[in-house]
Amino acid sequence: MEIELSKGGRFNLSKEAPNLKKVAIGLGWQTNQAGQNYDIDASVFMLDANAKIPDEKYFIFYNNLQSLDGSLKHSGDNRTGEGNGDDETIYVDLEKVNPAIQEIVFVVTIHEGQEKNQNFSQIKNAFIKIYNHESKNSLARYNLREAFSQETSLEFGRLYKKDNEWRFQAVGEGYSSGLQSFVDKYIGETKQEKSQEYPIVQSEKKTYKNQENIILDKKLEREAPHIFNLAKKADISLQKVNLTNHKAKVVLCLDISGSMSSLYCTGKIQRFAEKILALGCRFDENASIDIFLFGVETHNVGAMTIENFKSFIPNLLKQYPLEGGTYYGKAINMIRKVYFPISKKESQKNTTPLSQPVYIMFVTDGATSDEPETEQYLKESSYEPIFWQFMAIGKSRKDAKGKGILGWLSQAKTSDFTFLERLDEMSDRYVDNSDFFSLEDPETIADQELYDLLMNEYPNWLKLAKTKNLLQ
């Protein structure tokens, strides 16, 4: 028999259903405003005795559908709210819940509610119910009847332990700051779990996607799912080096010499640029990358974004035809002047360190005609918070795919990238501000491996740049 709860009402699961092990929490809602799109999300916070999540994976939402201990699973994001049944469902195996977890909080938020002037006054027939997952028999239900105005998030209900018994409470508290209200309330610095029953968190300090990143993920998933999938792969590489919430300006500098023609015509450069855009969606506050082109001349052509990325590179080539030469130095110098118009070399000790660096992805397929200038500008740039990631297209001694004996034998047919190799090892710099690798074909490497390569030396440069007072 289903019990109907009012706000603040409680239900003792352990007494009313003592043999219950697997429960489901169904949440549903409808909208009053016909013709408007509401993106409403259910999220869960699994809290310890300090009312904080003990690990980021105990924050379960559309981008993390299972808890760290495997006890709780989310059905996924329902964006429409159509129909009369459950819109989203949370499944909980009570026997698997980590003993450190004392409370499980269920919240519902309107995605981008403030930006769209949407709030819970426009939501009707909202409910939360708890039922036996196996028999489907409903145990308790709370129908939301409170009047809301500007609230964009709702703490709907909670499962909690008291006297070693699981109980449920209907909460019904509204907040006006969206999901961030709960992130601020329930997420603090977490510690590694000590129990061997659960996976050990490897990093000493876990970081969390902030509200801006969560909003961006929703937009990516909706408007640019391909970029979203790439960004998730970049996330894995960034987590490995503890740069989950790191911020930097991302720049893609592309060779437009004539020898690059086939790479542009086959769409390989467009697809590569999309991979760098995905990295920009993680590093850059504007979710964009700045594009520079270089051949005989250098061109600052603007930003590639999730709104304009489709056919961005082919459209550029209509305006900037391929050129008959390659000059790295001109490109390096222009980029430096754009981001740091005044050289820091002579006044380094008197300048205030900056909070955000610039990450340059520099792509070429041939040698430069201005080696002395390139060396000079790269040395001067070592006094600035700019990291240069050089990638050559063609074989070299540093071919990322040319490992082992077969890779060694193939070096007999390498392209001439000795200058880039020398740049990578160049002395007389304030800090080592560059890395280099080559790929015979930019599409022969898995996306995950590419992002790992892009983070090969950058994290160490960040640490060194901070010790040298280039960055905060």
Side-chain angles (χ1 to χ4, degrees), residues 34 70 83 97 184 187 192 209 213 255 262 270 296 327 355 371 380 402 430-431 435 455 469:
V97 175
D184 293 341
I187 295 183
Q192 294 181 3
K209 291 184 179 180
N213 286 343
D255 186 343
S262 64
Q270 168 69 27
V296 176
Y327 290 81
S355 59
E371 290 188 4
E380 291 178 0
Y430 187 62
V431 294
D435 186 27
M455 294 299 110
N469 207 41

Side-chain angles (χ1 to χ4, degrees), residues 114-165:
Q114 292 176 322
E115 294 86 341
K116 297 177 180 177
N117 293 318
Q118 297 174 346
N119 55 66
F120 273 96
S121 69
Q122 300 152 5
I123 305 301
K124 64 180 181 179
N125 300 330
F127 67 87
I128 181 171
K129 67 178 182 180
I130 183 167
Y131 60 93
N132 186 318
H133 182 200
E134 295 174 325
S135 69
K136 309 303 181 185
N137 290 331
S138 182
L139 302 170
R141 181 186 182 101
Y142 167 43
N143 294 309
L144 188 69
R145 294 189 174 92
E146 285 67 30
F148 294 105
S149 56
Q150 299 303 313
E151 291 82 355
T152 58
S153 59
L154 176 70
E155 186 168 325
F156 222 144
R158 66 187 184 110
L159 277 172
Y160 65 99
K161 271 185 180 179
K162 184 177 181 181
D163 300 329
N164 206 33
E165 295 178 335

Side-chain angles (χ1 to χ4, degrees), residues 212-230:
E212 290 77 14
N213 286 343
I214 292 171
I215 291 172
L216 174 61
D217 276 356
K218 295 290 288 185
K219 184 176 182 180
L220 283 173
E221 190 175 16
R222 182 173 61 251
E223 299 180 9
H226 170 58
I227 303 299
F228 178 62
N229 289 332
L230 290 170

